[in-house]
Amino acid sequence: MPARAPADVVVAGGGLVGLAVAWRAAQHGLRVTVVDDAPGSGASHAAAGMLAPVAEAAYGEESLLELAHASLARYPSFVAEVERASGLSVGLRTAGTLLVGFDEDDLRALFALHDFHRELGLAADRLTASACRRREPALTPRLRGGVLVRDDHSVDPRALSAALLTACRSAGVELLPSRVEGLVVEDGRAMGVRLCDGDLRAPAVVLALGAWSGRLPGLPPGTVPVRPVKGQILRLRGEPLLSGTVRGMVHGRAAYLVPQADGRLVVGATTDELGFDGRVTAGAVHDLLHDAAEIVPGVSELELVETLARWRPGTPDNAPLLGASALPGLVLATGHHRNGVLLAPVTADLVAELLATGQASPLLQRFSPQRFQSIDAQREVTAP
Ligand code: GLY
């Protein structure tokens, strides 16, 4: 194996989260190597790019909101900095998000969600059907009403990946196009990652492998409780139909339509606990197109240019795993489930601060990867 420059930090995984962490860590003066044979090709490639803490707020996931808002607040400056560093646009769109419903049941579910938003102090306004259509004239006249979330925005995740790759290179991050085949563990400590042509050693390893994070050979059992949550998603092309994101309940089924700067419309997404099943099914494509066309009839005229399946990294509480794991030397930046794009800036800031200073901020501590481990299991993993 040719000699490589020594790194302070090896980041396993070059998706949006891994790249953002690497970039911030390099800005702290750390020598960083990112290992990925196809950066940005996992969940970051499929994601619609919604920055939607309110619209995505789910019952039982309230703990995520503070983190999500902290990240959304960082987005404008994060985007400005990435765009400046890379010279590339990342397609930030700040037209808000409109949630719409079709029948009495959809509307009841939507307004119950709106009551939940208000209980949590989140800003969202009910709109009549005609007010919804004044905002988005392409919406079907059959809709019954909606809720506007002015501060939920979107970005183009593919453009953001490309810009972060360039920003990483300019900041001196080494990008190694290899597959991470395992974790190197010696004397109860992570010492680097295993590649096909040898080990890449570093005092700190950041695990940012998304849905694959829990499966890395060498991990002590139970250290990274991440499971794949399959999502199928479509991309359409044609006449621009929407100014901002629209999310709809169509007879009880949720769908979203996200316009992007390149003129495409992203339509998503299914959510299935099917492991690493990578098939795009006729049923999913049918349902997504059907629901999108119910919400915006003009969708039927668009060209279907892409269908794909990827996996969200789910955790037991669907909040991310951030910071020191039970294995010394191993830091996690994974488990972002539905919110990887939104949470990339705050993840990067908090994890890079930990890597550079050894300090875990209170917010980072709330998402400690060790929150699921019993005392016995922690003793077992950390035993010398
Ligand atoms: N954040 C959108 C999704 O997970 O489908």
Side-chain angles (χ1 to χ4, degrees), residues 320-351:
L321 307 173
L322 305 179
S325 71
L327 181 69
L330 180 67
V331 170
L332 305 193
T334 188
H336 294 77
H337 194 229
R338 308 184 73 90
N339 294 296
V341 182
L342 170 62
L343 296 177
V346 75
T347 299
D349 287 349
L350 301 183
V351 171

Side-chain angles (χ1 to χ4, degrees), residues 47-50 52 56 229 231-233 247 256 268-271 312 336-341:
M50 287 178 289
E56 295 255 84
V229 180
Q232 297 181 62
I233 196 159
R247 299 173 66 108
Y256 52 76
T270 61
T271 301
R312 307 170 182 93
H336 294 77
H337 194 229
R338 308 184 73 90
N339 294 296
V341 182

Side-chain angles (χ1 to χ4, degrees), residues 324-381:
S325 71
L327 181 69
L330 180 67
V331 170
L332 305 193
T334 188
H336 294 77
H337 194 229
R338 308 184 73 90
N339 294 296
V341 182
L342 170 62
L343 296 177
V346 75
T347 299
D349 287 349
L350 301 183
V351 171
E353 180 190 18
L354 175 71
L355 292 166
T357 67
Q359 299 299 313
S361 73
L363 189 53
L364 190 81
Q365 287 171 32
R366 295 241 306 278
F367 296 92
S368 164
Q370 301 182 55
R371 65 187 182 276
F372 305 112
Q373 293 194 316
S374 70
I375 300 295
D376 284 351
Q378 287 183 34
R379 276 202 201 102
E380 204 173 293
V381 170

Side-chain angles (χ1 to χ4, degrees), residues 64-75 342 345-346 350 363:
L64 254 184
L65 273 170
E66 189 185 347
L67 191 70
H69 275 114
S71 210
L72 186 64
R74 284 160 211 244
Y75 242 97
L342 170 62
V346 75
L350 301 183
L363 189 53

Side-chain angles (χ1 to χ4, degrees), residues 166-251:
T166 303
C168 277
R169 282 193 195 98
S170 325
V173 173
E174 188 191 2
L175 299 160
L176 199 60
S178 291
R179 206 179 136 79
V180 180
E181 299 197 336
L183 187 67
V184 179
V185 180
E186 287 170 9
D187 301 327
R189 191 183 166 83
M191 301 294 288
V193 292
R194 184 140 298 149
L195 310 178
C196 64
D197 57 352
D199 293 350
L200 180 62
R201 298 173 80 86
V205 176
V206 176
L207 185 56
L209 287 171
W212 288 272
S213 298
R215 306 199 166 201
L216 190 64
L219 277 176
T223 322
V224 185
V226 167
R227 68 183 196 289
V229 180
K230 179 180 176 183
Q232 297 181 62
I233 196 159
L234 316 176
R235 279 171 165 76
L236 310 173
R237 184 171 57 199
E239 188 68 23
L241 296 173
L242 298 174
S243 61
T245 299
V246 171
R247 299 173 66 108
M249 290 291 286
V250 182
H251 309 309

Side-chain angles (χ1 to χ4, degrees), residues 211 215 227-231 272-278 310-311:
R215 306 199 166 201
R227 68 183 196 289
V229 180
K230 179 180 176 183
D272 290 300
E273 301 278 353
L274 289 171
F276 281 106
D277 171 12
R310 289 291 188 276
W311 306 273

